[in-house]
């Protein structure tokens, strides 16, 4: 009798764990589908005007050994600025000609050397401290390897100064030129979903956007209201969450566009993905409790969609997690006859893949051939070592992605 009771307790415990996990996955996948569906809604965006000419703007560019790309980036920025504007390049722990090249094309360059505190957040803080003497109205943060489309800085500035909120541009990374690698196509699709489709859906739903690292505009007092000096792997998303927590909700502004290339070398791509994935998982661990506590104690229920959005893992992890849970639930159902976890997991998978299909059909069908998209399972298997590394030795230090 004792053995039978113990066996029943174990089975009920497994059932409870499976139904709990499948329910969580279902809620996250359902919200992902809601985001992708909301992005399809046709709706006019607010347009901000008449704030550009009288506004002082400083474009802040953190740069660590960016001699390959810094000149071409500055050439898309300096010509569009007004006489009262400035470009400040923070040459952060550089051992190349970044500072020399940036000065030669007309940027203000400040150099920072600190072997202990390394990371983009520290470089941003150094640049903001430099501006304190004569602060601008708006700070626009641009990465050193980006191309800023005409009118983007003006649009970001006008939106930021009119709303007194952080603003995120439409930032997309495209595959290397002439690449026909299925991996590069899937990577580009993943970026489209993460950086455009989901923020667009959040905008339609009236939910704050995440910040994505470049193409970000802030009223100067707003960005100085939080501490940006950190070596966090995803200092941009962290910054957006910190600002949201104190009431400055970032806005997604798709009319302003910034682009960059995905790395072409396999080693650089793996390094970049590792930083993104490990950084995202660490933010989930750190910020979900903080956001939940704030939402409950201060009745900030507007934070709940942000919590759900943060819980959506990277594309590969989402697919991998669903597969694993689906297989385990099916095995348990076949041997024990308890089908509820399998049904919930199946429904979650339908939500996940429906969202991906809608995103592809509306926003990527001309860029990503269907046969490339169908290689996602192989792409997922290739990321298993990255997730395994998070379990045994998660990346802690910020690492710059090598440029091509």
């Amino acid at each position: 009798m004792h053995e039978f009771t113990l066996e029943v307790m174990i089975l009920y415990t497994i059932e409870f764990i499976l139904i709990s996990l499948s329910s969580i996955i279902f809620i996250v996948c359902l919200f992902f589908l809601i985001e992708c569906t909301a992005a399809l809604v046709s709706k006019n965006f607010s347009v901000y005007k008449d704030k550009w000419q009288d506004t002082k703007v400083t474009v802040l560019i953190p740069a660590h050994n960016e001699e390959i790309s810094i000149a071409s980036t500055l050439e898309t920025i300096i010509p569009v600025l007004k006489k009262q504007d400035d470009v400040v390049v923070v040459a952060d722990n550089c051992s190349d000609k970044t500072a020399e090249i940036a000065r030669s094309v007309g940027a203000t360059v400040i150099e920072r050397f600190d072997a202990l505190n390394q990371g983009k957040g520290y470089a941003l803080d150094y640049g903001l401290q430099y501006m304190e003497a004569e602060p601008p109205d708006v700070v626009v943060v641009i990465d050193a390897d980006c191309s800023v489309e005409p009118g983007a800085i003006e649009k970001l500035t006008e939106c930021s100064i009119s709303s007194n909120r952080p603003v995120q541009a439409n930032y997309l990374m495209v595959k290397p030129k002439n690449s026909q690698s299925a991996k590069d196509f899937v990577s580009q699709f993943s970026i489209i979903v993460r950086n455009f489709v989901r923020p667009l859906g959040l905008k339609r739903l009236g939910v704050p956007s995440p910040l994505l690292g470049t193409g970000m505009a802030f009223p100067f007092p707003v960005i100085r209201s939080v501490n940006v000096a950190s070596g966090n792997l995803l200092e941009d998303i962290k910054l957006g969450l910190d600002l949201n927590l104190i009431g400055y909700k970032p806005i997604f502004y798709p009319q302003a566009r910034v682009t960059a290339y995905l790395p072409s070398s396999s080693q650089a791509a793996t390094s970049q993905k590792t930083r993104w994935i490990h950084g995202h998982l660490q933010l989930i661990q750190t910020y979900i409790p903080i956001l939940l506590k704030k939402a409950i104690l201060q009745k900030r229920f507007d934070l709940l969609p942000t919590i759900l959005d943060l819980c959506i893992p990277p594309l590969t992890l989402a697919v991998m997690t669903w597969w694993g849970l689906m297989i385990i639930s099916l095995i348990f159902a076949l041997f024990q006859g308890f089908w509820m976890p399998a049904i919930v997991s199946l429904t979650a998978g339908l939500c996940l893949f429906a969202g991906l299909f809608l995103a592809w059909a509306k926003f990527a069908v001309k860029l990503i051939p269907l046969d490339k998209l169908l290689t996602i399972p192989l792409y997922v298997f290739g990321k298993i070592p990255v997730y395994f590394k998070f379990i045994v030795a998660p990346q802690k230090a910020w690492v710059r992605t090598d440029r091509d």
Side-chain angles (χ1 to χ4, degrees):
M1 184 68 179
H2 175 74
E3 291 181 357
F4 174 77
T5 303
L6 180 61
E7 180 182 346
V8 170
M9 289 178 61
I10 292 173
L11 289 175
Y12 275 123
T13 301
I14 295 173
E15 289 176 3
F16 175 76
I17 293 172
L18 286 177
I19 195 67
S20 299
L21 291 175
S22 59
S23 297
I24 292 171
I25 294 296
F26 169 71
I27 292 171
V28 171
C29 290
L30 177 61
F31 190 73
F32 174 75
L33 176 59
I34 290 172
E35 288 181 338
C36 294
T37 303
L40 306 180
V41 176
S42 178
K43 183 180 178 182
N44 292 330
F45 294 108
S46 299
V47 177
Y48 302 88
K49 293 184 176 180
D50 304 324
K51 300 289 185 179
W52 169 246
Q53 291 300 328
D54 298 326
T55 301
K56 180 182 177 182
V57 178
T58 296
V59 178
L60 178 58
I61 303 178
H64 173 64
N65 289 345
E66 302 284 2
E67 64 180 5
I68 294 175
S69 59
I70 188 66
S72 58
T73 297
L74 290 170
E75 286 168 2
T76 68
I77 296 173
I78 292 176
V80 304
L81 297 181
K82 309 179 298 297
K83 62 180 181 180
Q84 69 264 34
D85 300 336
D86 195 10
V87 179
V88 175
V89 173
V90 180
D92 185 44
N93 290 294
C94 290
S95 58
D96 64 357
K97 297 181 179 180
T98 296
E100 178 183 338
I101 294 172
R103 288 191 184 98
S104 70
V105 295
T108 299
V109 178
I110 55 176
E111 298 186 64
R112 174 181 177 271
F113 297 96
D114 188 337
L116 294 178
N117 298 310
Q118 297 193 35
K120 182 178 173 182
Y122 292 111
L124 290 175
D125 183 67
Y126 194 74
L128 293 171
Q129 290 183 46
Y130 170 80
M131 298 176 201
E132 289 281 3
E134 297 182 19
D137 299 306
V138 172
V139 177
V140 178
V141 177
I142 301 291
D143 279 352
D145 64 335
C146 293
S147 176
V148 181
E149 295 196 4
I153 293 177
E154 178 179 346
K155 292 171 184 175
L156 288 171
T157 298
E158 292 184 331
C159 181
S160 183
I161 203 71
S162 298
S163 63
N164 195 40
R165 290 165 62 181
V167 181
Q168 174 61 56
N170 175 7
Y171 168 48
L172 291 178
M173 302 182 74
V174 299
K175 65 181 181 65
K177 291 180 180 179
N178 303 319
S179 172
Q180 295 301 312
S181 165
K183 176 178 67 67
D184 288 335
F185 277 104
V186 174
S187 293
Q188 182 172 341
F189 176 64
S190 178
I191 293 292
I192 291 172
V193 173
R194 183 176 76 100
N195 285 14
F196 178 71
V197 179
R198 288 174 53 196
L200 181 61
L202 292 175
K203 184 177 180 68
R204 303 292 197 200
L205 295 169
V207 177
S209 168
L211 295 179
L212 302 172
T214 186
M216 306 182 298
F218 309 85
F220 190 77
V222 170
I223 195 171
R224 294 307 280 158
S225 64
V226 294
N227 180 22
V228 302
S230 86
N232 192 278
L233 301 183
L234 290 182
E235 79 297 320
D236 43 6
I237 297 180
K238 178 184 183 300
L239 174 58
L241 292 171
D242 288 339
L243 288 169
N244 193 359
L245 282 168
I246 62 174
Y248 294 114
K249 305 175 184 180
I251 301 172
F252 181 57
Y253 201 49
Q255 297 97 315
R257 303 187 184 204
V258 177
T259 59
Y261 282 104
L262 288 163
S264 61
S265 76
S266 177
Q267 182 177 356
T270 299
S271 173
Q272 185 180 71
K273 283 290 185 180
T274 300
R275 179 169 64 84
W276 287 350
I277 291 169
H278 289 203
H280 192 125
L281 295 176
Q282 289 168 17
L283 283 176
I284 289 176
Q285 292 176 335
T286 302
Y287 273 86
I288 294 301
I290 296 173
L291 292 165
L292 279 173
K293 182 178 179 181
K294 188 93 168 182
I296 295 170
L297 296 182
Q298 300 187 12
K299 297 182 178 180
R300 283 281 310 275
F301 301 122
D302 59 297
L303 292 174
L304 295 179
T306 298
I307 293 172
L308 289 172
D309 180 68
L310 182 61
C311 284
I312 297 174
L315 173 59
T316 52
L317 181 58
V319 175
M320 190 185 304
T321 302
W322 172 77
W323 270 347
L325 187 60
M326 187 75 236
I327 292 171
I328 294 172
S329 298
L330 280 174
I331 293 173
F332 191 77
L334 290 172
F335 282 94
Q336 298 297 326
F338 187 65
W339 286 90
M340 185 56 68
I343 294 171
V344 176
S345 297
L346 178 60
T347 308
L350 292 174
C351 291
L352 173 61
F353 289 105
L356 290 174
F357 178 79
L358 290 175
W360 172 77
K362 176 65 176 179
F363 301 105
V365 66
K366 295 181 179 180
L367 297 173
I368 318 293
L370 182 59
D371 63 317
K372 304 294 185 183
L373 196 65
L374 294 176
T375 64
I376 284 180
L378 296 176
Y379 184 77
V380 169
F381 286 123
K383 289 293 176 289
I384 290 177
V386 175
Y387 295 114
F388 182 74
K389 183 179 178 182
F390 178 78
I391 297 173
V392 298
Q395 181 174 321
K396 298 294 185 181
W398 187 92
V399 178
R400 168 190 172 274
T401 301
D402 289 335
R403 312 299 183 203
D404 303 313

